Amino acid sequence: MIKGTDNANVYIGAWHKTGINAIRVLFRMYKKNVPDFDFQFKKKLGIGFNHYVLEKSKVILCIRNPYEIIVSGMRYHQTTKEKWCVQPNERYNGLSYKDHISSLENDEEKVLFEMRENSYLTITSMYDFLRDHSQYEIYSKKNKNHNLNDNIVFIRLEQFWTEQGRQEIVDTITSHVPNMDKDMLTECIVAHGERKFNNTHPDFNYSYPQYFTDSLYKEFNTLFSSDLFDVLGYQRK
C-alpha cells in the first residue's frame, strides 16, 4: 500500500460547499490508476486532527472564497435532497431548511438567510481551522520539536477552474506527498478539468457579484471577523 513520505497516512478534506466533490473525485481518479495508493477522506474537519494524527500524516484540504460559499449554498440548498435539509425544523416554524429558503421572496433575502445560517457555520469553521492551526506549530516528543503545520497544505477550489491553477494543484500535492506520481496526477487533473461538479452554476467563474448588494456586503462585514480574508488568503470586496 503506497502512502505518503515515510509511510505517512494521506488525508484529504474540504468543508461543505468548498470543494468536497472536486478534491475527492481527483484522488479517486488517481487511486483508480494507482490502486496501491491509499488515502482517507476526512468528513468533519477540526475534529480528530490532533498532534498524534498529524505527526504521521500528510493532509491536503480544499478551501473556497467565502462570498462564493454563500451563493453556492443558497442555490444548492433549494435543490438538494440531503436529509438534514429536507426535514421539518422548528427553527423555521416547522418548515425544512430547503422549504424555508425557497419560500423567501427574492435572491437577496435568500443570500442573507444562507449567510446567517449554514454558510455562517461553514465559513467560521474554515476560518477557525486556518487561524487556530497555529496550535500545531510546536509539538515536542522525546525532546524533539516538530512543526506539524508542515504536514498540512491548502488548495483552492478556484484553482480547478484554469489550466494554470490545476498545474499549481499538482505541484502543491506532489511536493507535499512526493510518493505520488506527478505525471499520473497531471493526467487525472486534466481529465478532471473537463468536468463540472457544481450543478447549480455551470461556469468556471465567480457568481457572487451577481447576487451581492451593498447591504449584503455590509452584513457580511458585520457577521465575520475583519481578518477573515487575510487568514484565508482571498481579497475582500
Side-chain angles (χ1 to χ4, degrees), residues 66 123 127-128 130-132 220-221 224-234 236:
I123 293 168
Y127 165 76
D128 288 344
L130 270 75
R131 181 198 61 190
D132 294 340
F220 182 100
N221 292 338
F224 298 102
S225 175
S226 60
D227 68 344
L228 172 67
F229 286 88
D230 293 331
V231 169
L232 300 182
Y234 286 93
R236 181 184 293 273

Side-chain angles (χ1 to χ4, degrees), residues 173-219:
I173 292 174
T174 55
S175 293
H176 193 51
V177 189
N179 287 10
M180 293 184 71
D181 186 311
K182 188 171 186 177
D183 291 336
M184 179 54 67
L185 186 61
T186 299
E187 288 184 22
C188 292
I189 206 167
V190 167
H192 185 290
E194 298 173 354
R195 305 176 62 182
K196 189 71 170 67
F197 299 98
N198 185 346
N199 293 328
T200 65
H201 179 59
D203 300 319
F204 291 95
N205 57 23
Y206 282 136
S207 61
Y208 74 83
Q210 303 171 30
Y211 296 95
F212 264 73
T213 61
D214 289 343
S215 62
L216 287 174
Y217 285 119
K218 184 176 180 180
E219 178 66 13

